[in-house]
Amino acid sequence: MAVRSEPAAIRAATGTGNGLRHHQLGMALLAAALVFAPLVLYPVFLMKVLCFALFACAFNLLVGYVGLLSFGHAAFFGTAAYAAGHAAKVWGLPPELAVLFATACSAVLGLAFGWLAIRRQGIYFAMITLALAQMLYFFYLQAPFTGGEDGIQAIPRGRLFGLIDLANDLVMYWVVLAVFFAGFLLIYRTIHSPFGQVLKAIRENEPRAVSLGYDTDRYKLVAFTLSAALSGLAGGTKAIVFRLASLTDVHWTMSGEVVLMALVGGLGTVFGPIVGAAVVVSLQNYLAGLGHWVTIVQGLIFVACVLAFRRGIVGELARLVGKPL
Amino acid sequence: MAVDDAILETEGLSKEFRGFLAVKNVHLRIRRGTIHALIGPNGAGKTTCFNLLTKFLQPTAGRIRFEGRDITALRPAQVAKLGIVRSFQISAVFGHLTALENVRVALQRERGESFDFWRSHSVLRAYDGRARELLAAVGIEAMAEVPAAELAYGQKRALELATTIALEPALMLLDEPTAGMGREDVGRIAALIKQVAKGRTVLMVEHNLAVVADLSDTITVLARGEVLAEGDYAQISADPRVREAYLGSEEG
């Protein structure tokens, strides 16, 4: 990367402690937009965007702030979808416990996958995560509880805390919005915590971080587990919202999609993955009539991103205003 | 002063890479409070030695003792925690972090290995004062808010030194601190090393013999992975074997 010639870009990507006021402004705008969005857009569409936005933010925590490109994040998203579906449908757990259980499953899986994958770096790390996720995919394809090609269908949304009936899409939307913001704020806090500061140091120069006495493998493992858990939170919520957990959720194309979302929005930016998820989900929805051509359009966007605006939408915006976004 | 005032000692330190002996049976003895230079022609094994001492590489044979304690089996981060902090040949800064944040990453280590991802960034402000002092000590306090990637080369090296001394290391290992520098910067960094070395022990790999002559109390000459000679600058520069090693390498 040609960093020296573009000081604004560097500042844009730097999460300095004194420049957080515009983040708060951004969050307030985002919250306001999402509160009023159901007036103009379908809640189901919005919920899809929010689930994927949370997924992309969780993924970005790893790639954007630790520099670890995982190509197997579908494993955590999909595992959580199955876990939430199974817990809600077969065990009859209320939605909050089903999602909590799903998140825990993904966290444990993340710990295991992370423990294996962080031993390697760069492309090898990506390949190991992909391989592990593919193994899991074939396991889910065969395992009886996943319903194979059919997936788990008609998952009950149930009653939140046994009180609030989630059958209504708008009611469900408020819950998803709350879940999204909880996850997003946790990620935001993580990025700006003392722990996050060490993560950024590892991203910038791992040997130097080691030479300063940081056991970088443990930091990477905690970050990986956290990212997996939050991806699980997104996947579990998605299963409850759409009442469906299927092989699509664990397929490698799902891992690819989350990469695309983070890339389109802007890797290593706070708001980028949300914008990226909105763009990708919108395209899928509005271009659904094109059938398989959607993939081609997505591919073209990917190429355009890499060629024309490598920092992603929010990354380029941050460069223009000269502030990290 | 203790009878045995060696802060770091190696015994028969060796490293083999697929049949190639990069470091052969090296006995080093770094006395406390001194500046010790490791010199030698290219490929003499100086940087490999550094990597062995800081455990970035695992020695094939030999022992390393720090403060009388055997550290041969430790991991790099553990060695660093004991107080052996190294720098790198290529200036090692955290490019997208500001100069202040760079130093703070070192300072916040005293919080221990904390994985408190839920805690606010503001706990780190407590380190800002000390970080600014350190930046001032190396003469780059004006650059505190500038991302490290934007600093000039000499400033990056200064920042690296500030980050290293932030940990109050008992032993500093500097790998070619003046490599790739203009004459002006060399003088400034040399003065800086002299200044920060007070009350500490420094082991450095250095090619610039003027800097070595100016700074070091003891010099160890390595050639083809072995210790060729050891002594002060006068002894070393008078040693015919050392001259031969240097001239020989230049011809070849």
Side-chain angles (χ1 to χ4, degrees):
Chain A
M1 261 188 271
V3 277
R4 219 172 249 252
S5 56
E6 293 158 279
I10 295 162
R11 288 211 186 88
T14 313
T16 44
N18 47 17
L20 300 179
R21 196 155 293 157
H22 57 278
H23 281 163
Q24 287 164 3
L25 179 68
M27 277 181 221
L29 287 175
L30 181 70
L34 289 171
V35 165
F36 291 107
L39 295 176
V40 280
L41 295 162
Y42 293 114
V44 174
F45 166 75
L46 288 170
M47 286 190 280
K48 190 172 178 189
V49 170
L50 286 179
C51 289
F52 279 103
L54 180 56
F55 184 27
C57 285
F59 171 76
N60 184 48
L61 170 64
L62 209 52
V63 70
Y65 294 93
V66 203
L68 293 173
L69 173 61
S70 158
F71 208 76
H73 255 48
F76 312 121
F77 188 78
T79 294
Y82 282 132
H86 191 80
K89 192 176 174 183
V90 181
W91 298 343
L93 288 186
E96 68 278 5
L97 289 184
V99 171
L100 217 59
F101 170 70
T103 307
C105 286
S106 291
V108 172
L109 190 68
L111 190 66
F113 277 21
W115 184 76
L116 285 164
I118 57 167
R119 288 146 195 270
R120 291 291 174 270
Q121 270 149 9
I123 190 71
Y124 301 102
F125 174 86
M127 287 297 115
I128 290 173
T129 52
L130 174 63
L132 291 170
Q134 283 302 95
M135 282 162 61
L136 202 66
Y137 172 82
F138 287 110
F139 168 70
Y140 286 146
L141 183 62
Q142 301 294 333
F145 70 92
T146 63
E149 302 276 359
D150 298 332
I152 305 177
Q153 296 179 7
I155 298 164
R157 279 188 187 172
R159 290 173 167 272
L160 186 68
F161 307 123
L163 296 170
I164 309 157
D165 190 357
L166 298 178
N168 182 308
D169 281 340
L170 198 57
V171 175
M172 185 80 233
Y173 175 73
W174 299 123
V175 175
V176 173
L177 187 58
V179 168
F180 165 77
F181 256 99
F184 175 66
L185 289 176
L186 180 65
I187 291 169
Y188 184 79
R189 193 58 177 262
T190 303
I191 294 167
H192 295 92
S193 68
F195 170 74
Q197 198 70 16
V198 178
L199 291 185
K200 283 180 226 168
I202 293 170
R203 175 193 68 189
E204 298 294 314
N205 192 330
E206 188 174 351
R208 182 53 171 163
V210 172
S211 82
L212 295 179
Y214 288 105
D215 198 337
T216 55
D217 278 355
R218 288 174 59 194
Y219 280 84
K220 288 200 267 187
L221 186 57
V222 172
F224 194 96
T225 307
L226 204 56
S227 172
L230 287 158
S231 300
L233 180 62
T237 308
K238 187 238 119 199
I240 297 291
V241 169
F242 293 96
R243 314 185 58 194
L244 175 73
S246 72
L247 286 171
T248 316
D249 301 331
V250 273
H251 198 248
W252 65 267
T253 49
M254 183 63 79
S255 300
E257 235 157 64
V258 78
V259 176
L260 183 68
M261 288 172 188
L263 197 79
V264 168
L267 295 178
T269 61
V270 172
F271 298 103
I274 303 170
V275 173
V279 169
V280 172
V281 173
S282 302
L283 279 172
Q284 286 172 347
N285 266 34
Y286 292 105
L287 300 179
L290 294 178
H292 282 303
W293 286 90
V294 174
T295 324
I296 307 229
V297 174
Q298 273 186 11
L300 287 174
I301 292 171
F302 189 84
V303 171
C305 262
V306 173
L307 287 178
F309 54 110
R310 295 180 66 169
R311 290 176 200 87
I313 297 167
V314 174
E316 294 292 342
L317 220 65
R319 193 170 65 102
L320 285 178
V321 300
K323 287 193 173 109
L325 288 176
Chain B
M1 190 174 279
V3 183
D4 182 36
D5 63 345
I7 189 165
L8 186 89
E9 252 183 311
T10 71
E11 249 173 58
L13 197 64
S14 302
K15 178 67 186 175
E16 188 185 316
F17 294 108
R18 296 168 186 264
F20 169 68
L21 265 171
V23 171
K24 271 180 250 178
N25 195 26
V26 167
H27 294 263
L28 266 182
R29 198 162 182 280
I30 318 292
R31 281 176 300 129
R32 194 184 307 280
T34 62
I35 299 184
H36 193 127
L38 208 54
I39 67 170
N42 285 329
K46 306 180 297 283
T47 296
T48 308
C49 247
F50 255 51
N51 285 330
L52 292 174
L53 294 179
T54 46
K55 300 313 310 298
F56 276 68
L57 287 175
Q58 187 60 33
T60 317
R63 313 245 56 121
I64 307 165
R65 260 198 304 279
F66 176 66
E67 303 274 23
R69 176 182 165 181
D70 192 324
I71 61 163
T72 319
L74 297 189
R75 282 176 293 124
Q78 292 176 309
V79 170
K81 275 184 206 130
L82 287 179
I84 306 180
V85 182
R86 67 171 293 178
S87 72
F88 294 81
Q89 243 177 57
I90 314 148
S91 78
V93 294
F94 305 118
H96 286 82
L97 304 187
T98 65
L100 186 79
E101 287 176 320
N102 264 269
V103 178
R104 232 172 36 186
V105 167
L107 290 171
Q108 77 176 81
R109 233 257 342 259
E110 72 171 31
R111 303 178 71 240
E113 293 257 27
S114 55
F115 303 97
D116 44 358
F117 55 83
W118 56 88
R119 207 180 295 274
S120 163
H121 189 259
S122 56
V123 297
L124 295 180
R125 299 229 173 92
Y127 298 106
D128 283 0
R130 177 81 186 118
R132 280 181 205 282
E133 277 172 33
L134 286 160
L135 290 175
V138 299
I140 54 168
E141 69 272 32
M143 314 304 274
E145 312 300 338
V146 178
E150 286 180 43
L151 297 178
Y153 187 74
Q155 292 173 327
K156 278 186 195 157
R157 304 284 350 207
L159 174 59
E160 206 189 334
L161 265 179
T163 309
T164 304
I165 55 178
L167 290 174
E168 300 284 343
L171 174 62
M172 279 200 307
L173 274 67
L174 308 177
D175 197 354
E176 299 198 29
T178 69
M181 273 186 193
R183 191 178 294 171
E184 225 172 276
D185 275 339
V186 169
R188 198 174 312 134
I189 290 292
L192 208 54
I193 293 170
K194 210 175 218 172
Q195 177 201 328
V196 300
K198 284 198 187 96
R200 293 176 225 276
T201 314
V202 176
L203 173 65
M204 62 176 188
V205 166
E206 184 53 58
H207 274 302
N208 188 322
L209 290 182
V211 173
V212 171
D214 180 32
L215 295 181
S216 20
D217 302 295
T218 315
I219 300 166
T220 301
V221 186
L222 282 182
R224 292 192 204 87
E226 286 174 294
V227 175
L228 192 67
E230 192 169 286
D232 61 21
Y233 189 73
Q235 291 168 319
I236 290 298
S237 56
D239 193 316
R241 290 170 305 166
V242 175
R243 288 178 171 208
E244 194 199 337
Y246 265 90
L247 291 176
S249 81
E250 274 163 25
E251 280 163 9

